[in-house]
Amino acid sequence: MQEARALSGIKPYLFADIDRKRDALASRGIDVISLGIGDPDMPTPERIVAAMVDAVRDTANHQYPDYAGSAAFRRAAADYMDRRFGVEVDPSTEVLTLIGSKEGIAHLHTAFVDPEDVVLVPSIGYPVYTTGAVLQNGQTYPMPMTEENGFLADFSVVPTDVARRAKIMFLGYPNNPTGATASPEYFDAAIAFCREHDILLAHDNAYSDLTFDGYRAPSILERPGAKDVCIEFFSLSKPFNMTGWRIGFACGSARAVAALGKVKNNSDSGQFTAIQEAGIVALTECLDEVDQMCEVYARRRDLLIDALHAIGLECESPKATIYVWAKVPEGETSESFTATLLEKAHVIVTPGSGYGPDGEGYIRLSLTTPDDRLVEAVQRMKEAMA
Ligand code: MLT
């Protein structure tokens, strides 16, 4: 049996690999604290669960779902975009239901990338931006991201011959993993760059509802002309504690939505309608619950940042996302420090290098762990570093 050549260029999926290490320790009876994957520990709000139970009992939902998503879910997504961002999208041509935004991001490459094409990826970014391109035998060009440039991917340094061959540029703000946020001017410059070079701008907005200290994250589609060149990805996973449900949506450019829909129609049969019905309740009725979750995450963020500072780790306080991005101590690499914490403290964090070249020298800590376990994790880290 011979696997596709492209597969050999891909490491095991970052979070599957972390799960494997966690499970190996847990199977030896070791108490592991995971600050790894961003998997909310709080339950899905009860109203969403109740809607799902009703929808499962409705036999009309037992047959194939609509390929592009139910008209009702797409309408709810369009209404959410309007209410939340003042952005108008046509639910029938500019919105597509996804089986989690990860699959949409991966499939976008199939829709737009031919062998040898270039995908512009943030040099610290969600791994699927890169691996999706590699699976298409495409090439990636990492746009530099540094603390000095506020972790804003710098597309201005992309050489013209590379930009000409680029088909997609991925951005994501509020940013996973750095927690950085982007200004309207940055989005405008990115849109102008993509328009000039005829590139699809794919904006990953999975964390727009998880914001703190009065910050409101925008949609890139708020910017003038954005709908001509942008597709935006939303996930219900993080704001509504629905990671296991696999539900999200893409919206924006009708051409990009149609192309992604064509790939999906030929590879999956759409999301279970009952889950979409639960998703409608999330998008229309549960924003108060999201506010409560933001309060919990803000409290945990402050707790974690104070504790990390107390043990000498440098990190900024993010205005959004469920992640803290911290520098590793002198003399360590992302991998070595992650391994030390795993072996000596039984604490899992994500190595920054797993997100791309400029992630080296950092770790990501997720806030999806109760307060007392966060404090215990940092106490254990302190002992491991002594
Ligand atoms: C994360 O922790 O960054 C993501 O939730 C991981 C994933 O989507 O696989």
Side-chain angles (χ1 to χ4, degrees):
M1 194 191 304
Q2 281 204 332
E3 289 176 349
R5 274 198 302 282
L7 207 53
S8 64
I10 294 179
K11 292 196 209 139
Y13 185 58
L14 181 61
F15 296 101
D17 202 39
I18 290 173
D19 281 358
R20 189 182 52 75
K21 291 177 181 155
R22 177 203 59 200
D23 293 347
L25 286 179
S27 71
R28 287 166 37 211
I30 292 171
D31 173 32
V32 180
I33 303 179
S34 178
L35 312 182
I37 195 162
D39 193 358
D41 55 315
M42 293 175 272
T44 308
E46 183 49 37
R47 288 192 251 204
I48 301 174
V49 175
M52 175 72 180
V53 170
D54 287 347
V56 167
R57 290 197 192 286
D58 181 351
T59 55
N61 292 334
H62 295 180
Q63 292 183 287
Y64 280 122
D66 291 323
Y67 286 101
S70 72
F73 181 83
R74 284 181 285 136
R75 172 85 262 161
D79 289 348
Y80 164 86
M81 292 301 293
D82 189 15
R83 228 179 29 251
R84 173 71 178 76
F85 304 109
V87 166
E88 277 186 30
V89 282
D90 179 341
S92 55
T93 55
E94 295 174 338
V95 182
L96 188 65
T97 303
L98 300 174
I99 307 173
S101 70
K102 180 182 181 182
E103 71 89 357
I105 288 169
H107 279 135
L108 193 71
H109 297 87
T110 317
F112 285 93
V113 181
D114 286 315
E116 311 305 324
D117 283 347
V118 173
V119 176
L120 303 177
V121 295
S123 68
I124 308 173
Y126 186 47
V128 185
Y129 307 151
T130 297
T131 49
V134 176
L135 283 171
Q136 290 304 114
N137 286 305
Q139 294 170 8
T140 57
Y141 185 95
M143 300 176 285
M145 279 169 82
T146 59
E147 194 181 350
E148 293 67 45
N149 69 16
F151 293 113
L152 293 173
D154 186 0
F155 44 85
S156 72
V157 300
V158 176
T160 309
D161 62 313
V162 174
R164 275 203 204 106
R165 288 166 46 223
K167 292 293 160 64
I168 309 176
M169 172 161 106
F170 279 99
L171 295 178
Y173 295 96
N175 187 252
N176 174 19
T178 66
T181 55
S183 66
E185 294 74 25
Y186 175 78
F187 282 145
D188 287 344
I191 291 166
F193 178 87
C194 287
R195 190 186 287 282
E196 181 187 345
H197 297 287
D198 195 20
I199 298 169
L200 172 65
L201 200 171
H203 186 242
D204 183 357
N205 212 351
Y207 297 91
S208 54
D209 282 327
L210 294 171
T211 61
F212 319 119
D213 311 334
Y215 173 70
R216 291 281 285 167
S219 156
I220 200 167
L221 298 175
E222 291 171 28
R223 305 311 306 156
K227 238 206 267 174
D228 299 338
V229 290
C230 297
I231 185 167
E232 187 158 50
F233 289 87
F234 286 89
S235 167
L236 277 68
S237 290
K238 315 290 162 134
F240 303 107
N241 304 337
M242 293 178 80
T243 48
W245 300 58
R246 310 314 303 142
I247 177 98
F249 65 93
C251 62
S253 152
R255 243 190 73 224
V257 165
L260 178 56
K262 193 169 175 184
V263 174
K264 281 177 56 57
N265 293 354
N266 283 286
S267 37
D268 66 64
S269 297
Q271 175 54 285
F272 184 21
T273 310
I275 291 186
Q276 296 185 68
E277 292 198 8
I280 293 170
V281 172
L283 290 173
T284 54
E285 294 177 28
C286 292
L287 294 182
D288 284 352
E289 279 92 330
V290 179
D291 287 344
Q292 287 159 21
M293 288 172 225
C294 287
E295 279 173 30
V296 172
Y297 287 128
R299 189 185 68 225
R300 291 180 183 175
R301 172 201 63 176
D302 295 344
L303 195 73
L304 182 61
I305 297 253
D306 284 352
L308 291 174
H309 284 163
I311 64 167
L313 291 188
E314 274 182 59
C315 50
E316 299 285 331
S317 182
K319 280 192 292 192
T321 80
I322 48 177
Y323 306 118
V324 168
W325 185 241
K327 281 193 187 152
V328 302
E330 288 262 325
E332 296 270 15
T333 64
S334 295
E335 288 278 347
S336 70
F337 191 49
T338 303
T340 302
L341 296 182
L342 184 70
E343 281 151 29
K344 294 201 191 160
H346 304 142
V347 169
I348 295 182
V349 299
T350 315
S353 52
Y355 296 94
D358 284 338
E360 180 49 58
Y362 293 89
I363 52 168
R364 190 194 78 173
L365 302 99
S366 168
L367 299 170
T368 54
T369 300
D371 300 26
D372 57 333
R373 295 288 276 173
L374 277 178
V375 172
E376 186 183 340
V378 180
Q379 181 57 34
R380 291 192 200 175
M381 286 166 70
K382 181 180 176 186
E383 285 157 22
M385 287 160 62

